[in-house]
């Protein structure tokens, strides 16, 4: 049986994460995805790592292989007019075009949506600027996940009150935004089935991040209370609810036993001070939260986190190890669900990457391939997607149009 997006063609003109990650979701649903790249200005993700066996190289970044699994690559010079013409032909070939340039840059290349839809009215084009393409700060504003998280408000909420903001570490909005991008693309495909018309989807990465922080945003909008960094995990209205130290180096467990049944179960396991009458009600536990947390930490501190999680879960207490990479790699549930899949590439050998993030009951799961090498399919793409002859392809290589 065909995959959900079998026959759909995607031109990925993104880099780093948000655009390419969105295209990866479509690829995992069966779309044929071409990644447009340049050797002169490599996708920065190729240089960020981590690298297989710790050896850097543009073909060795495991992050790149994960986000660009199963795609094909064409390497062209978009600074040359002939390179732009190749991009226009690819846009005519594509059902979906995803771009991550600074807002306005793709228009200056002569590849605006209004231009491309003249020859491909069914094209669905997606722009993924940090603040979108409109508004007083949109057009011309560049940024990455760090700046997007700061704009959205996530950075200011993480850390301790007496220290500078701490996180979130890495490209947080790049991870959040694809959830909005892909759902919008699928809706646009559905609309195109009915109308035959494409559209231009303008995504503001930072605005997507705001959606994940609505409680903090609404706290000020409704009550004029500006949430501050608290330096603690868990809810201020639940107790016990937080992170507790366990035996071993930097080992912790998350426990939420604020509901009465969970609290009673935890109290029976821990015993001792937890039977104090001051802790009998939620209000009492909130009032004596620091003393309660110290008592729980005294109990968890000498115990193995994984064994403790199992014991708490069996007793009906919501608890889980604060996972490290090693925990997730060997997690029996993730392994059972096929979360990791093997890939092999000449540059990195055999390794694992993340599987498609869904399993559909009526269509087969697509096994991922390693991410493409720079320009690994340039000739085939020029020939079959763009309609160029072999003499054209040879000339492009000689003139530096292809890389």
């Amino acid at each position: 049986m065909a995959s959900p997006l079998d026959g759909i063609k995607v031109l990925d003109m993104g880099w780093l994460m948000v655009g390419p990650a969105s295209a990866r979701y479509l690829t995992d649903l069966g779309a044929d995805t071409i990644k447009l790249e340049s050797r002169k200005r490599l996708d920065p993700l190729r240089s960020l790592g981590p690298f297989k066996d710790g050896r850097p190289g543009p073909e060795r970044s495991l992050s790149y292989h994960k986000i660009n699994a199963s795609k094909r690559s064409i390497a062209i010079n978009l600074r040359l007019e002939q390179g732009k013409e190749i991009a226009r032909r690819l846009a005519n070939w594509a059902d979906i075009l995803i771009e991550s340039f600074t807002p306005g840059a793709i228009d200056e290349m002569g590849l605006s949506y209004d231009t491309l839809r003249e020859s491909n009215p069914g094209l669905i084009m997606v722009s993924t600027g940090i603040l979108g393409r409109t508004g007083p700060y949109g057009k011309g504003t560049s940024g990455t996940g760090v700046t997007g998280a700061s704009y959205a408000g996530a950075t200011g909420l993480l850390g301790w009150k007496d220290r500078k903001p701490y996180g979130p570490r890495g490209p947080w909005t790049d991870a959040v935004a694809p959830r909005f991008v892909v759902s919008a693309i699928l809706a646009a495909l559905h609309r195109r089935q009915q109308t035959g018309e494409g559209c231009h989807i303008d995504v503001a990465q930072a605005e997507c991040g705001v959606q994940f922080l609505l409680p903090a945003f609404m706290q000020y909008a409704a009550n004029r209370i500006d949430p501050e960094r608290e330096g603690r995990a868990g809810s201020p209205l639940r107790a016990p609810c937080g992170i507790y130290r366990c035996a071993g180096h930097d080992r912790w467990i998350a426990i939420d036993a604020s509901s009465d049944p969970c609290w009673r179960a935890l109290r029976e396991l821990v015993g001792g001070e937890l039977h104090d009458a001051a802790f009998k009600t939620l209000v009492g536990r909130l009032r004596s939260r620091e003393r309660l947390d110290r008592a729980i930490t005294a109990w968890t501190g000498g115990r193995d986190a994984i064994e403790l999680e199992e014991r708490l879960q069996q007793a009906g207490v919501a608890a889980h190890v604060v996972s490290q990479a090693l925990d997730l790699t060997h997690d029996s549930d993730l392994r059972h669900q096929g979360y990791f899949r093997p890939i092999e590439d000449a540059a990195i050998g055999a390794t694992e990457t993340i599987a498609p993030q869904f399993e559909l009951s009526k269509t087969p799961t697509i096994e991922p391939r390693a991410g493409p090498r720079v320009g690994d399919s340039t000739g085939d793409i020029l020939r079959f997607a763009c309609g160029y002859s072999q003499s054209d392809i040879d000339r492009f290589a000689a003139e530096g149009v292809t890389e």
Side-chain angles (χ1 to χ4, degrees), residues 344-361:
E344 189 159 350
D345 177 79
I348 62 173
T351 186
E352 289 185 320
T353 194
I354 304 302
Q357 298 296 284
F358 37 75
E359 187 171 315
L360 305 178
S361 61

Side-chain angles (χ1 to χ4, degrees), residues 246-257:
C246 296
H249 174 67
D250 201 27
R251 296 297 278 170
W252 305 80
I253 190 167
I255 299 174
D256 184 350

Side-chain angles (χ1 to χ4, degrees), residues 21-220:
S22 300
R24 160 96 202 251
Y25 279 112
L26 303 176
T27 307
D28 288 341
L29 286 168
D32 178 9
T33 301
I34 292 174
K35 182 170 177 62
L36 193 155
E37 300 189 82
S38 168
R39 293 185 189 276
K40 292 183 173 62
R41 193 178 182 187
L42 288 172
D43 184 335
L45 194 61
R46 288 187 177 274
S47 64
L48 292 180
F51 300 101
K52 181 68 161 42
D53 302 321
R55 291 192 290 115
E59 313 293 354
R60 300 184 60 80
S61 168
L62 298 179
S63 296
Y64 183 89
H65 280 282
K66 181 261 182 183
I67 289 174
N68 293 283
S70 304
K71 301 176 185 178
R72 297 182 290 159
S73 171
I74 181 172
I76 63 176
N77 185 349
L78 283 176
R79 295 183 180 275
L80 300 179
E81 185 54 42
Q82 189 59 68
K84 295 174 184 176
E85 175 56 30
I86 292 173
R88 281 189 281 269
R89 290 203 184 192
L90 287 172
N92 284 338
W93 165 86
D95 297 288
I96 300 161
L97 186 157
I98 302 175
E99 61 95 4
S100 300
F101 294 100
T102 298
I106 200 160
D107 303 350
E108 295 172 3
M109 296 180 198
L111 299 172
S112 69
Y113 173 68
D114 287 340
T115 298
L116 297 177
R117 72 173 177 175
E118 290 178 3
S119 53
N120 186 359
L123 178 67
I124 296 167
M125 183 168 172
V126 184
S127 297
T128 62
I130 198 74
L131 298 179
R133 291 171 52 89
T134 60
Y137 303 114
K139 192 169 184 179
T141 299
S142 61
T144 62
V146 173
T147 54
S150 298
Y151 180 92
T155 303
L157 292 173
L158 297 178
W160 290 262
K161 289 182 180 180
D162 59 342
R163 305 181 197 179
K164 68 179 182 180
Y166 179 75
R169 183 177 181 273
W172 181 70
T173 56
D174 288 75
V176 167
R179 277 70 174 168
F180 295 86
V181 173
V182 174
S183 59
I185 289 173
L186 295 177
L189 284 170
H190 180 70
R191 174 179 177 271
R192 194 182 69 169
Q193 282 184 324
Q194 298 174 321
T195 66
E197 298 177 353
C199 63
H200 189 185
I201 300 170
D202 180 20
V203 177
Q205 289 185 45
E207 194 174 315
C208 294
V210 172
Q211 299 297 314
F212 279 70
L213 300 168
L214 286 181
F217 177 81
M218 294 305 297
Q219 180 73 298
Y220 183 81

Side-chain angles (χ1 to χ4, degrees), residues 251-252 309 320-328 331:
R251 296 297 278 170
W252 305 80
E309 174 194 324
H320 200 285
V321 170
V322 176
S323 297
Q324 299 175 347
L326 183 65
D327 299 309
L328 294 174
D331 184 86

